[in-house]
Structure formats: structure tokens, C-alpha cells
Amino acid sequence: MRTTVSQIAREAGVSPATVDRVLNDRDGVRGRTRDIVLQVATRLGYFGPVSEVAQQRVRMDFVLPAGTNSFLAALKRYLLEEAHGRGDVTANVHQIEGFDPDRLSARLRDLRGRTDAVGVVALDHPQVREEINALAQSGVRIATLVSDIPTVEKVGYVGVDNRAAGRLAGLLLGRFLKGQGTQHIAVFMGSLAYRGHEEREMGFRSILSEEFPEIRIAGLAEVSDDRDRAYLETLKFLDTGGIDGIYNIGSGNQGIARALRDRKAERRVVFIGHDLTDATRLMLLDRTMDAVIDQNPRVEAREIVRLLASAVKGSMEPEYLPRLQVVFKENIPAN
């Protein structure tokens, strides 16, 4: 049975009209979207019989942090959906409790000989780097996700430019507080062991130093993406001298918001964080949060599955850096 335009559209995540424009070589489609549509059409046999290489089934495993992080929960769901939607990939997701290099390394070691490709949200730790390189040398294709480790052997990184994300947060916070004299802010992060969190902090500090020297960082709280710890740390900042703004680099937004509401400070303290989830959407609506810097987990899931599947089959996809988007109450996208 011939592959239909509707099938290609469903697999590629675009409209049938977009597929029609691509297949008929008409203008009005971005280059990357055009590439995705053509690859899906080829894989589904639209242009003729699919080769044995294209039909090869790829065993894929993803290693993510466990916990209450809403963004990572969405990412897990989209990874499984993306793999399930393809006919050539089987996928498993493994979640590691805590910021624990021993557990993460053991899980990576256990995957040797059991998988073709691994996508990992990894701590930048010597032990973890060693296991990633050993896994790659065993023939497994590796890609980093959300937080990069530049020095390991991998086929690519899928995630935002985290240093740029931190600079964007600093610009927003600085503009919100500008003209109010010396201001004191608190910075929250999951762990410096994640290079992505470290890069966001570096970008944030750099733009404050360059453009907003009147803003002083009162303290940094490392909360392991735990909303209860974030709640307690926020109370400490609010109760011991007060703060004018908060930048949350990682997860734990719900704990920070609860503390701001408990101290009736949600309209006084500027609060900026990351990732549009059901929880942060509500915080924007009631103005507990002023802005959310978003990355799209659905797009990242699609891109890392494509990257790894192509690598296993002997072709290479370029690395893809999703665009950063700033979401305010006034421009919250529909679910």
C-alpha cells in the first residue's frame, strides 16, 4: 500500500499542506522542516522500497535524572512517544535517583552490549565521562541531551545554548529591576555538576556584571532540583534581610512560588525561571512568576531520536540547538 501524505505528516509532526509543499518542491517551508519531511517520506517508502539499512531496528536507551522535575517528566513522555511513532526504534528510559555519579556510571556500564544508542542527561564528572567514552568505544552511539559534556566521545548534543539562556535571564531580571537603585537577588540551581546549570550561572553573572552592576547576588542555593529544599531556601532569603529578585536555573519552581505566596511577596519579588510546564503556566497566570525561558521538550525528543537513529545506520545529522523562547503571562501558548 502506498504511503500517504497524511501518514508522512503525522510522523513528521507537520500539516499535510506542508508535506504537499515539500513533496512538490514548492517554497514556503523552512530548510530543516523540509529535511525532516523528506527523511520521513523516505523511511516510510514514499519514494520506493526501503533499503535494509533503513529498515534496521535500533535499540535506544535514555538515561535521565529521577525526581519531581516537570520538564524532565515531559521529556521522558515525548522520548517514548517519538520512538513509538517510528517503525525502526525501540526505546527504554532509565531514571537515576539523585545527583549521583556512581549510580549514573553504573547504569551506563550496564548498557554495554544491550543497546545500539544512548541519549543521556549527564553530570559532568570524571567517572561519568570515563563511562560514556567506554560505552562509545564499545560501539554504542552516544548523544548528550539538555546539558552537554563537550569532551566525551559522542555523535552530538541536543539542547539549548545554556550560556545564552543564562544571559537572557540576566537581561530580563536586570530590565525588570532597572532604575530602582541597588537591588539584591537570589540564584537557585540544581547542581553545578550539570554543565548546563553551570553555564547558565556563568551567562547570568556575566551580563549582570556588564550591564547591571547595581544588582547584587545575595546568595546562591544549590537545591538538587528539589521543590521542598527550594521552599526552605526561599524562606531563608525572604526572612533574613529580604530580596528583590530570584533567578531559578533549574527545577524547584513550585517550592519557590509556595514560599513567595506564604510571605505574600509574589508581587514584590521578580521571579524568573526555566521551562513552561503546567505548574509554571499557572504561576505566570497569577503573576507569581514574571517570565519563563522555555525550551521545547517535544522538539528535543524528536531531534535526539533522529540523531541517534541516523548515527546507528551510518549517516550523520547536524547537531540541533532548539531556539530559546521567553514566555510571559501575555503570550502563553495554547496547550
Side-chain angles (χ1 to χ4, degrees), residues 56-123:
Q56 175 188 351
R57 291 192 68 80
V58 177
R59 297 171 300 170
M60 205 172 286
D61 287 82
F62 297 97
V63 184
L64 310 179
T68 58
N69 187 317
S70 300
F71 170 79
L72 289 174
L75 181 61
K76 174 185 175 181
R77 183 173 71 253
Y78 292 134
L79 286 168
L80 292 173
E81 286 180 3
E82 182 66 26
H84 181 73
R86 297 177 57 120
D88 61 342
V89 171
T90 59
N92 294 297
V93 175
H94 313 269
Q95 294 187 277
I96 306 300
E97 290 289 345
F99 293 78
D100 189 333
D102 292 328
R103 291 182 181 179
L104 177 54
S105 299
R107 174 57 64 185
L108 293 171
R109 192 179 313 119
D110 187 55
L111 289 173
R112 289 189 210 174
R114 300 185 177 188
T115 189
D116 300 308
V118 170
V120 58
V121 180
L123 303 169

Side-chain angles (χ1 to χ4, degrees), residues 21-183:
R21 285 196 293 272
V22 172
L23 296 179
N24 290 285
D25 199 25
R26 292 199 293 269
D27 294 334
V29 182
R30 290 184 301 173
R32 186 155 190 85
T33 302
R34 185 179 297 275
D35 291 343
I36 291 170
V37 170
L38 290 174
Q39 287 184 17
V40 169
T42 299
R43 176 167 56 81
L44 294 181
Y46 181 84
F47 300 112
V50 183
S51 69
E52 289 186 12
V53 171
Q55 290 177 325
Q56 175 188 351
R57 291 192 68 80
V58 177
R59 297 171 300 170
M60 205 172 286
D61 287 82
F62 297 97
V63 184
L64 310 179
T68 58
N69 187 317
S70 300
F71 170 79
L72 289 174
L75 181 61
K76 174 185 175 181
R77 183 173 71 253
Y78 292 134
L79 286 168
L80 292 173
E81 286 180 3
E82 182 66 26
H84 181 73
R86 297 177 57 120
D88 61 342
V89 171
T90 59
N92 294 297
V93 175
H94 313 269
Q95 294 187 277
I96 306 300
E97 290 289 345
F99 293 78
D100 189 333
D102 292 328
R103 291 182 181 179
L104 177 54
S105 299
R107 174 57 64 185
L108 293 171
R109 192 179 313 119
D110 187 55
L111 289 173
R112 289 189 210 174
R114 300 185 177 188
T115 189
D116 300 308
V118 170
V120 58
V121 180
L123 303 169
D124 191 355
H125 184 278
Q127 188 175 339
V128 175
R129 293 197 295 268
E130 188 71 19
E131 287 300 334
I132 289 175
N133 286 332
L135 192 58
Q137 289 161 16
S138 75
V140 175
R141 304 300 186 188
I142 310 289
T144 50
L145 181 62
V146 178
S147 180
D148 193 18
I149 305 180
T151 57
V152 298
E153 187 176 341
K154 63 183 188 293
V155 299
Y157 162 65
V158 175
V160 298
D161 180 336
N162 283 299
R163 189 178 179 90
R167 288 184 63 86
L168 180 56
L171 176 65
L172 289 168
L173 195 58
R175 297 296 294 177
F176 272 117
L177 295 174
K178 193 172 180 61
Q180 301 180 37
T182 300
Q183 301 287 299

Side-chain angles (χ1 to χ4, degrees), residues 40-333:
V40 169
T42 299
R43 176 167 56 81
L44 294 181
Y46 181 84
F47 300 112
V50 183
S51 69
E52 289 186 12
V53 171
Q55 290 177 325
Q56 175 188 351
R57 291 192 68 80
V58 177
R59 297 171 300 170
M60 205 172 286
D61 287 82
F62 297 97
V63 184
L64 310 179
T68 58
N69 187 317
S70 300
F71 170 79
L72 289 174
L75 181 61
K76 174 185 175 181
R77 183 173 71 253
Y78 292 134
L79 286 168
L80 292 173
E81 286 180 3
E82 182 66 26
H84 181 73
R86 297 177 57 120
D88 61 342
V89 171
T90 59
N92 294 297
V93 175
H94 313 269
Q95 294 187 277
I96 306 300
E97 290 289 345
F99 293 78
D100 189 333
D102 292 328
R103 291 182 181 179
L104 177 54
S105 299
R107 174 57 64 185
L108 293 171
R109 192 179 313 119
D110 187 55
L111 289 173
R112 289 189 210 174
R114 300 185 177 188
T115 189
D116 300 308
V118 170
V120 58
V121 180
L123 303 169
D124 191 355
H125 184 278
Q127 188 175 339
V128 175
R129 293 197 295 268
E130 188 71 19
E131 287 300 334
I132 289 175
N133 286 332
L135 192 58
Q137 289 161 16
S138 75
V140 175
R141 304 300 186 188
I142 310 289
T144 50
L145 181 62
V146 178
S147 180
D148 193 18
I149 305 180
T151 57
V152 298
E153 187 176 341
K154 63 183 188 293
V155 299
Y157 162 65
V158 175
V160 298
D161 180 336
N162 283 299
R163 189 178 179 90
R167 288 184 63 86
L168 180 56
L171 176 65
L172 289 168
L173 195 58
R175 297 296 294 177
F176 272 117
L177 295 174
K178 193 172 180 61
Q180 301 180 37
T182 300
Q183 301 287 299
H184 295 88
I185 62 171
V187 177
F188 289 73
M189 67 192 319
S191 172
L192 284 169
Y194 278 117
R195 179 176 284 267
H197 287 193
E198 182 182 30
E199 289 173 344
R200 287 179 186 178
E201 187 205 5
M202 291 168 60
F204 182 75
R205 286 181 181 272
S206 69
I207 198 166
L208 291 189
S209 175
E210 293 164 14
E211 299 195 24
F212 306 103
E214 70 279 8
I215 296 177
R216 312 289 170 77
I217 297 178
L220 185 147
E222 197 168 346
V223 297
S224 298
D225 283 349
D226 183 283
R227 64 185 61 164
D228 292 328
R229 287 179 62 178
Y231 170 77
L232 295 174
E233 291 293 337
T234 306
L235 290 182
K236 288 181 186 178
F237 283 118
L238 293 171
D239 293 344
T240 56
I243 50 174
D244 305 291
I246 291 173
Y247 171 42
N248 186 25
I249 288 173
S251 188
N253 289 314
Q254 293 178 67
I256 295 170
R258 180 158 63 97
L260 290 173
R261 293 183 189 117
D262 284 355
R263 292 298 185 266
K264 295 181 171 45
E266 66 269 30
R267 297 299 180 91
R268 178 180 64 79
V269 175
V270 176
F271 177 19
I272 292 172
H274 287 266
D275 303 324
L276 187 65
T277 65
D278 290 342
T280 56
R281 183 184 295 269
L282 293 175
M283 293 177 215
L284 286 171
L285 287 171
D286 68 12
R287 294 213 184 274
T288 303
M289 290 190 80
D290 294 276
V292 169
I293 301 169
D294 190 41
Q295 55 183 318
N296 191 323
R298 185 190 297 273
V299 170
E300 291 179 357
R302 182 192 71 202
E303 292 298 325
I304 196 167
V305 170
R306 291 180 64 247
L307 178 70
L308 288 171
S310 296
V312 170
K313 295 180 181 185
S315 61
M316 290 299 298
E317 292 285 326
E319 288 185 330
Y320 179 67
L321 294 177
R323 290 176 295 178
L324 292 166
Q325 178 184 10
V326 181
V327 182
F328 305 97
K329 177 179 180 179
E330 289 72 17
N331 70 330
I332 297 176

